Amino acid sequence: MTHTLRAAALFLLAYAPLASAGELRGQVLDLLNAYEDTATPEELRALGPKVDTELMHIADDHDVPSSRRSRAITALGHFPGDKVKGFLEAHAKKADKGILRRKAVWSLAVAYGEGALPVLTDALADDDALLRVAAAQALGQVRSDASAEALRARLAKEDQDAVREAITKALEAK
Amino acid sequence: MSSMHSLRWLMAGAVWLPAVWLVACKNNDQEPVSLADVEGADEKELQRDDLGEASLGDTGGYIDLDVEVPEGAVSTAVHCGGFGDQALGAVWTLTDPSGTKRYDGDDVLAGDFTAWDYRSDFVDARVVALLPVTPSLDLSAGTWKVQYFVGAGSNGSADCEAVHRIDSAANDATVYVNLIFVGPDGLDAATAIDDENFQEALATFEDEWATGKITPVYNYIDFQGDKAKYSVVDVSDTEAVEFNDLLRTAKPGNARTMTFFFVEEIANNSAGGATILGLSAGPPGAPATNGTSKSGVVVSAIDYDSAPKDVGKIMAHEGGHFLGLYHTTEKDGSRHDLLGDTPQCDPSNDANGNGTMNSDECSGQGSENVMWWTLTSGNASLSSDQSWVLRRNPVVD
């Protein structure tokens, strides 16, 4: 019996991010549903201290359309912290949709700058060309010598025009 | 049931089942077409007046035009552009043939959004003056004075044209819609015709526009440009070159059509790469005008297979912008559209104090409208005035 309870507790802890929709769900989704606008950090923070948790729930909820899950991941870039960083790094490496990986890469750059370089550099070498474009753009946001070096190194071996264009633009931005 | 009856039912089934199967597998008889071969409304009902080229200084300047609106015109779109993707312009004043000023940008700049019969926000590359965008403005025949302001960064000149629709605005209107497929992977002109999810998106689009008495007719077209470049359209708060360039490829054989580009996503690189669900040229777009930065609408279609209704709602909303509609209430509640019968939701409704008018706070006050600023799950509709504006647009028949 004790073992059963412990297993159940561990299961609940492990899957805490996938818990049912919270009380903020409707208000956060309303912001993420905007046709043209992006949810600002101020609008999200005004909803309360647990917004980052709700954003992680939404990002992992397969019943929410991918575009809104991706917006949740983008918004997490405004809430830096160890838990969020781990969440974003995991999604940058593996996610059920390519768009989620792209947004995680961007969010890591926005929230952690140079601290995200290892993940961004890995993404810049990924097989997915759209992810490489996103990684180039994200590295362009970091604007450091190390990020420029990573971009130049990739440019030397990149063969896709769209990616080369993104890298060149990112280097010009620096 | 006798055995004879059973046999009859079986025979009937033998006849009908293949028919049902065929219907299930083929939504309609349509085939993809090339952009040159699209079906559209009668272009002879449009009168085009070349208004020439205007010079602009290094720091920008005004463009003053005399526009002759002919007898029988139900709408007129005057567009000036080609002044560059880095410069911003807006309609600055509008004066009707009687000499009455109907719009003054100086007033609007000072914060008075309500006194006039027009609205114009700063946009890049090309500005469209669409008349009318509210029933309170009568498009009388005669000389209209249209003044634009273009800011610094222009390339020195702008070309201008007026497009008049000389027709009657039908109670039940049709608009020919070009569906151009850039992305996402797996969605193209051939697959979209029979794809249940994509057809559900179109059904939602049709349902929402039906409330405005407009019926779309489709042309399915494969994008012939660089799909790798445009499948994710990158924009930022300060430039939209990729978006503009994609719209510039809209050169249908019949210009009296409205073009939707479907892409995997639109990404806002000024906002951490955030996905934008849809973007219309303008608003308003340049109706019945080919090859400009204001010649269509771009829709993020990444959710077409998992949330098709949302994609249909994005089409209805962005298409409304293209044809001259604005948000009934802006996100912060500071501005409303010009129309008299659309509900307004004022900042006093911001119960949670986050500076945003959310859909619950504005229930019954506009959040059920197609032009509400955020996508809601319920059935959205258009008002009588919104329908009036849409049905007069030069591209609509």
Side-chain angles (χ1 to χ4, degrees):
Chain A
M1 185 65 180
T2 311
H3 278 96
T4 308
L5 281 173
R6 193 179 294 158
L10 284 172
F11 178 86
L12 286 173
L13 278 174
Y15 287 87
L18 302 178
S20 60
E23 58 185 18
L24 292 177
R25 171 64 61 107
Q27 295 179 61
V28 175
L29 270 178
D30 212 43
L31 288 171
L32 300 180
N33 278 337
Y35 288 101
E36 300 99 6
D37 281 335
T38 306
T40 66
E42 295 76 25
E43 289 165 347
L44 289 163
R45 285 195 196 103
L47 297 179
K50 294 180 180 171
V51 168
D52 55 348
T53 304
E54 188 59 58
L55 288 168
M56 285 189 274
H57 289 178
I58 290 171
D60 274 342
D61 187 340
H62 290 235
D63 290 333
V64 175
S66 303
S67 56
R68 270 46 69 79
R69 292 173 66 196
S70 83
R71 282 179 159 186
I73 288 178
T74 300
L76 281 166
H78 302 308
F79 297 90
D82 289 345
K83 193 174 175 185
V84 168
K85 190 177 185 194
F87 182 90
L88 292 175
E89 284 178 343
H91 284 70
K93 287 172 186 162
K94 190 179 179 187
D96 57 297
K97 298 275 185 182
I99 190 173
L100 304 181
R101 295 185 70 197
R102 299 199 293 272
K103 300 312 166 191
V105 160
W106 257 99
S107 282
L108 284 163
V110 169
Y112 307 100
E114 288 234 12
L117 276 182
V119 180
L120 301 188
T121 308
D122 284 351
L124 195 61
D126 198 89
D127 291 341
D128 179 350
L130 290 178
L131 183 65
R132 297 205 298 280
V133 169
Q137 293 165 336
L139 281 161
Q141 297 290 310
V142 175
R143 296 182 185 191
S144 69
D145 291 343
S147 66
E149 192 178 321
L151 287 164
R152 278 192 288 270
R154 182 65 207 180
L155 186 61
K157 49 187 165 186
E158 179 59 56
D159 58 3
Q160 291 259 340
D161 286 347
V163 185
R164 290 181 64 83
E165 197 176 311
I167 293 173
T168 305
K169 206 168 172 182
L171 284 167
E172 285 168 0
K174 183 181 183 288
Chain B
M1 185 182 286
S2 70
S3 59
M4 184 57 95
H5 273 106
S6 301
L7 188 60
R8 254 184 222 148
W9 279 104
L10 279 172
M11 286 174 70
V15 172
W16 282 104
L17 277 175
V20 170
W21 181 80
L22 276 173
V23 168
C25 290
K26 188 82 176 167
N27 273 308
N28 50 52
D29 296 330
Q30 280 202 269
E31 299 287 342
V33 295
S34 73
L35 197 54
D37 295 328
V38 299
E39 185 184 5
D42 186 357
E43 291 191 88
K44 291 177 187 155
E45 292 170 348
L46 302 182
Q47 176 184 313
R48 295 178 187 276
D49 295 337
D50 183 352
L51 301 175
E53 197 162 292
S55 295
L56 293 163
D58 293 342
T59 56
Y62 292 95
I63 301 169
D64 288 287
L65 300 174
D66 283 350
V67 179
E68 295 297 329
V69 173
E71 290 288 346
V74 294
S75 60
T76 290
V78 189
H79 60 98
C80 282
F83 50 74
D85 290 340
Q86 305 307 320
L88 297 175
V91 176
W92 209 251
T93 62
L94 277 176
T95 306
D96 69 19
S98 74
T100 305
K101 196 177 270 189
R102 308 303 294 268
Y103 179 73
D104 189 331
D106 285 323
D107 257 25
V108 174
L109 204 60
D112 186 356
F113 304 124
T114 59
W116 304 101
D117 296 319
Y118 196 71
R119 170 172 172 171
S120 182
D121 302 327
F122 277 97
V123 295
D124 65 357
R126 182 169 297 271
V127 188
V128 181
L130 176 65
L131 306 173
V133 289
T134 165
S136 63
L137 186 139
D138 54 318
L139 185 65
S140 47
T143 306
W144 284 72
K145 292 189 178 299
V146 182
Q147 183 186 58
Y148 298 87
F149 174 74
V150 178
S154 84
N155 57 18
S157 68
D159 59 85
C160 303
E161 183 192 47
V163 180
H164 311 283
R165 176 181 165 195
I166 303 163
D167 186 11
S168 57
N171 282 333
D172 292 295
T174 301
V175 62
Y176 291 84
V177 171
N178 304 320
L179 309 171
I180 301 184
F181 298 92
V182 184
D185 283 347
L187 185 66
D188 58 34
T191 59
I193 291 172
D194 294 323
D195 186 286
E196 283 182 15
N197 291 317
F198 188 77
Q199 291 301 319
E200 188 179 352
L202 293 186
T204 301
F205 170 50
E206 290 161 20
D207 286 348
E208 295 206 345
W209 272 23
T211 64
K213 299 178 182 174
I214 293 201
T215 304
V217 176
Y218 305 113
N219 298 296
Y220 291 80
I221 303 145
D222 278 320
F223 183 59
Q224 297 301 313
D226 186 347
K227 281 195 176 191
K229 178 175 180 179
Y230 292 112
S231 63
V232 175
V233 175
D234 291 305
V235 299
S236 76
D237 291 347
T238 54
E239 64 104 352
V241 174
E242 218 166 279
F243 174 77
N244 291 347
D245 284 347
L246 179 58
L247 293 187
R248 288 180 179 116
T249 69
K251 298 174 183 173
N254 183 321
R256 204 169 167 201
T257 53
M258 183 178 168
T259 300
F260 285 84
F261 289 92
F262 294 94
V263 299
E264 166 137 341
E265 67 153 328
I266 308 164
N268 182 355
N269 292 346
S270 295
T275 298
I276 297 171
L277 301 187
L279 276 183
S280 166
T289 303
N290 282 357
T292 79
S293 62
K294 300 291 176 279
S295 294
V297 170
V298 182
V299 171
S300 288
I302 190 166
D303 295 323
Y304 86 93
D305 54 350
S306 60
K309 286 185 176 174
D310 284 4
V311 174
K313 282 173 168 287
I314 297 166
M315 292 178 69
H317 181 93
E318 298 304 332
H321 279 315
F322 184 86
L323 296 178
L325 301 183
Y326 290 88
H327 292 161
T328 51
T329 293
E330 295 296 347
K331 186 182 186 181
D332 63 0
S334 64
R335 287 186 83 172
H336 308 287
D337 67 15
L338 301 169
L339 304 174
D341 71 346
T342 48
Q344 298 185 351
C345 188
D346 294 314
S348 59
N349 292 290
D350 184 14
N352 65 9
N354 74 334
T356 297
M357 315 309 299
N358 77 39
S359 300
D360 283 342
E361 291 165 345
C362 295
S363 177
Q365 297 176 78
S367 64
E368 301 81 8
N369 192 281
V370 171
M371 298 312 293
W372 181 241
W373 65 271
T374 188
L375 191 156
T376 54
S377 57
N379 295 328
S381 60
L382 293 159
S383 76
S384 174
D385 282 357
Q386 287 173 319
S387 170
W388 188 94
V389 172
L390 295 181
R391 285 181 292 113
R392 271 158 184 76
N393 191 285
V395 81
V396 175
D397 193 19

